[in-house]
Amino acid sequence: MLLSTTARSMLRSAAAAGRSTAVKALVATASSSSASFSFQPYHSATTKTTTSTSQTLLQSHHFQARFKSTVLETPQLEGTRDAYQVSQTLQGTDACLRAGLNTLGITNPSTLYRNLTYAELFEHEKANNEGQVANAEYGETFAVDTGKYTGRSPKDRFIVYNEGSETAENIDWNDINQPTTPEVFQELYERAVAHFNTLDKAY
């Protein structure tokens, strides 16, 4: 379910005011049948019902899966896309084998950090000195100085052009969607694999 800009803004405000208020806003959003968000003032007369609904929602696997990126442990949901979206740290000489990276030619790293949560990535970023922690309005935020490269580089996008293929016929080739050859792709691929095979740890 997608949240409207208004809903996102209200959720941020609710989170700043306190966890219980944020839960009420989430319950109201989850109960809505449309993508738009209509705010209803919270009255004391609805306390019992809302609290019960909040507890049920927080305990449900569906709720935990939707917001899994902010928690360290999430139950696996068999047969769904969420089943493979769990945080893992693979260690040992067979780490790449267990992660399936060996099929790409990556075999050297013995420690793999896979699908880390926001909280775990935050701790890794601090430990690796990749930037600085800024005290923002809604809590600690990790800030990185990118130097002169301050945004995306739209004119550095290249797509492999295969003569006679479906993509060759349907991609809008222009100064942004620029064609390159399979040989160039293969060279870059081999360089990327070679780089990963110099690492002991990888994400």
Side-chain angles (χ1 to χ4, degrees):
M1 177 176 61
L2 297 176
L3 299 180
S4 65
T5 302
T6 303
R8 290 195 298 271
S9 177
M10 293 179 67
L11 285 173
R12 285 195 296 268
S13 299
R19 182 177 179 275
S20 61
T21 306
V23 170
K24 295 166 193 171
L26 288 171
V27 170
T29 304
S31 301
S32 174
S33 59
S34 63
S36 61
F37 186 92
S38 176
F39 178 75
Q40 297 295 329
Y42 179 72
H43 299 292
S44 58
T46 63
T47 301
K48 185 174 182 181
T49 301
T50 304
T51 302
S52 175
T53 305
S54 302
Q55 292 173 345
T56 301
L57 182 62
L58 284 170
Q59 292 169 356
S60 71
H61 283 186
H62 176 67
F63 177 89
Q64 293 178 26
R66 286 174 58 208
F67 297 95
K68 63 186 170 299
S69 58
T70 60
V71 296
L72 294 181
E73 293 185 4
T74 302
Q76 291 192 6
L77 306 179
E78 295 298 333
T80 71
R81 292 176 61 187
D82 295 311
Y84 62 87
Q85 295 182 4
V86 293
S87 174
Q88 290 181 312
T89 297
L90 304 175
Q91 293 182 304
T93 56
D94 63 341
C96 291
L97 177 65
R98 285 185 284 152
L101 293 181
N102 61 307
T103 61
L104 302 176
I106 300 173
T107 58
N108 190 68
S110 56
T111 301
L112 295 175
Y113 301 107
R114 185 180 188 187
N115 293 334
L116 297 186
T117 64
Y118 290 157
E120 290 171 323
L121 283 174
F122 184 71
E123 293 304 319
H124 278 250
E125 289 168 335
K126 290 193 296 183
N128 295 336
N129 295 315
E130 296 177 24
Q132 295 184 339
V133 178
N135 293 320
E137 180 180 356
Y138 298 106
E140 290 186 334
T141 301
F142 202 75
V144 177
D145 183 0
T146 62
K148 66 179 182 179
Y149 302 104
T150 58
R152 65 190 183 91
S153 183
K155 293 191 175 181
D156 285 336
R157 179 167 66 185
F158 293 88
I159 303 171
V160 175
Y161 181 87
N162 288 299
E163 185 71 37
S165 68
E166 185 177 350
T167 54
E169 299 298 326
N170 292 284
I171 287 180
D172 181 19
W173 302 103
N174 50 48
D175 60 349
I176 294 179
N177 295 326
Q178 302 175 79
T180 190
T181 65
E183 290 77 18
V184 169
F185 169 82
Q186 188 62 32
E187 180 183 349
L188 293 173
Y189 176 80
E190 290 173 0
R191 289 175 62 183
V193 169
H195 170 70
F196 272 100
N197 282 330
T198 66
L199 305 177
D200 295 323
K201 298 181 180 180
Y203 290 82

